[in-house]
Amino acid sequence: MNIQPTYSSLDYPGKMALVLFIPGCDLRCKYCHNPQLLKNESLSRWDIEEVEEEIDKNVDFIDAIVISGGEALLHIDVVKHYIQKAKEFDLLIKLDTNGLHPENLNQIIDDLDYVAIDIKAPLDKYYKISDVYPNNVKESINKSIDIILNHNVFLECRTTYVPNLLKPEDIQELTRNLRCNIYTLQQFRNRVTYDISLSTYEEPNPEDLVEIINSLDTTIPEIHLKSNQFGNQTIKKE
Ligand code: SF4
């Protein structure tokens, strides 16, 4: 197992969840805080059984599973396996994804209750965050958003704000026509990063992030700020 499942009351809002991490990713975000998950390792039968046992043992204490990564949709068969297990116990199911795999998302969308897509930067500016990215970022993410909204699944979009990599104008641009139920601006943390040079970057000040949120011209109904100092705060709500 690459990363043990963890229990969290923060990853599925208002619910106690078991967060399952699936390895492999097709991006290399400089700030990635799970760099040990980037290698596209396959999960063994033992890994999967271990997770299933964890769900069996603790089902009375959890409301939901969160399937996270890495990029979980690279291992669609494992994702389907976890979904099947969660459905046995009527657990809610949330998927964290980079939004780049709409075909795989389409295979499981009927079983999902909540999807969080990380929007790294304006869709034509992924070079600011990752040296590696597919050339159809815009098309794939828009397709993923269409699939989620057409199935009436709750959609959160999130961006991690690293002052040295992004500017307030980037957040204004990427949120201008973004379609989602909640948008969350996340404070960059410099503890563990894929590109170790980012450990010398300053973490942005929450007040500056609130100022960015207040400058946004968007129809997104609810905007949150997630920071180390104040947790998950609602900054704007219709
Ligand atoms: S932060 Fe980027 S590189 Fe890391 S798992 Fe998420 S999408 Fe992949």
Side-chain angles (χ1 to χ4, degrees):
M1 179 72 58
N2 291 278
I3 290 195
Q4 292 294 328
T6 58
Y7 291 89
S8 164
S9 57
L10 302 174
D11 284 65
Y12 196 127
K15 306 288 176 194
M16 178 53 76
L18 180 64
V19 186
L20 309 174
F21 298 95
I22 297 182
C25 189
D26 39 357
L27 295 180
R28 290 291 180 272
C29 304
K30 294 173 187 173
Y31 57 72
C32 182
H33 64 274
N34 281 335
Q36 73 278 36
L37 279 179
L38 295 186
K39 248 172 89 189
N40 196 5
E41 291 166 346
S42 58
L43 276 90
S44 72
R45 184 162 65 87
W46 305 118
D47 291 332
I48 295 167
E49 281 178 9
E50 207 179 309
V51 166
E52 290 186 335
E53 272 170 29
E54 190 73 24
I55 294 174
D56 282 332
K57 269 192 292 176
N58 295 291
V59 71
D60 290 343
F61 306 108
I62 56 174
D63 310 299
I65 62 163
V66 174
I67 303 173
S68 192
E71 174 47 45
L73 290 177
L74 291 176
H75 292 282
I76 187 66
D77 292 343
V78 177
V79 171
K80 285 180 182 172
H81 215 84
Y82 291 163
I83 286 175
Q84 198 184 356
K85 187 73 190 171
K87 283 168 72 77
E88 268 177 41
F89 295 111
D90 269 338
L91 296 171
L92 294 164
I93 303 170
K94 175 176 178 247
L95 172 75
D96 291 343
T97 176
N98 62 22
L100 298 175
H101 303 279
E103 290 77 18
N104 287 353
L105 175 65
N106 204 29
Q107 294 181 42
I108 56 165
I109 190 69
D110 285 331
D111 293 319
L112 301 179
D113 299 288
Y114 193 127
V115 179
I117 296 187
D118 289 327
I119 310 282
K120 307 293 178 185
L123 301 184
D124 54 355
K125 293 182 183 159
Y126 267 43
Y127 59 85
K128 288 188 164 206
I129 301 299
S130 174
D131 292 334
V132 182
Y133 53 92
N135 57 14
N136 57 352
V137 166
K138 193 172 193 166
E139 192 193 346
S140 297
I141 290 187
N142 280 327
K143 258 194 208 167
S144 292
I145 290 176
D146 284 342
I147 291 167
I148 295 161
L149 297 181
N150 288 341
H151 285 79
N152 289 321
V153 174
F154 193 89
L155 173 61
E156 177 179 7
C157 290
R158 321 181 283 202
T159 307
T160 298
Y161 189 77
V162 189
N164 306 56
L165 303 181
L166 291 172
K167 296 199 167 98
E169 300 82 78
D170 291 316
I171 306 303
Q172 288 158 1
E173 184 183 339
L174 78 87
T175 54
R176 195 161 294 129
N177 296 308
L178 189 61
R179 297 163 295 146
C180 57
N181 300 97
I182 292 182
Y183 175 74
T184 302
L185 192 62
Q186 303 181 136
Q187 179 191 42
F188 158 68
R189 308 293 316 281
N190 62 13
R191 303 258 163 85
V192 181
T193 53
Y194 169 66
D195 178 340
I196 53 169
S197 69
L198 266 67
S199 61
T200 61
Y201 287 13
E202 266 188 44
E203 295 178 356
N205 176 327
E207 283 89 60
D208 293 340
L209 298 176
V210 169
E211 204 172 301
I212 293 174
I213 289 174
N214 285 330
S215 76
L216 301 181
D217 178 14
T218 170
T219 56
I220 299 169
E222 195 168 328
I223 304 185
H224 290 202
L225 170 63
K226 200 168 165 193
S227 66
N228 186 36
Q229 293 86 338
F230 303 111
N232 192 333
Q233 296 172 282
T234 306
I235 306 296
K236 273 187 167 180
K237 194 167 177 176
E238 262 181 7

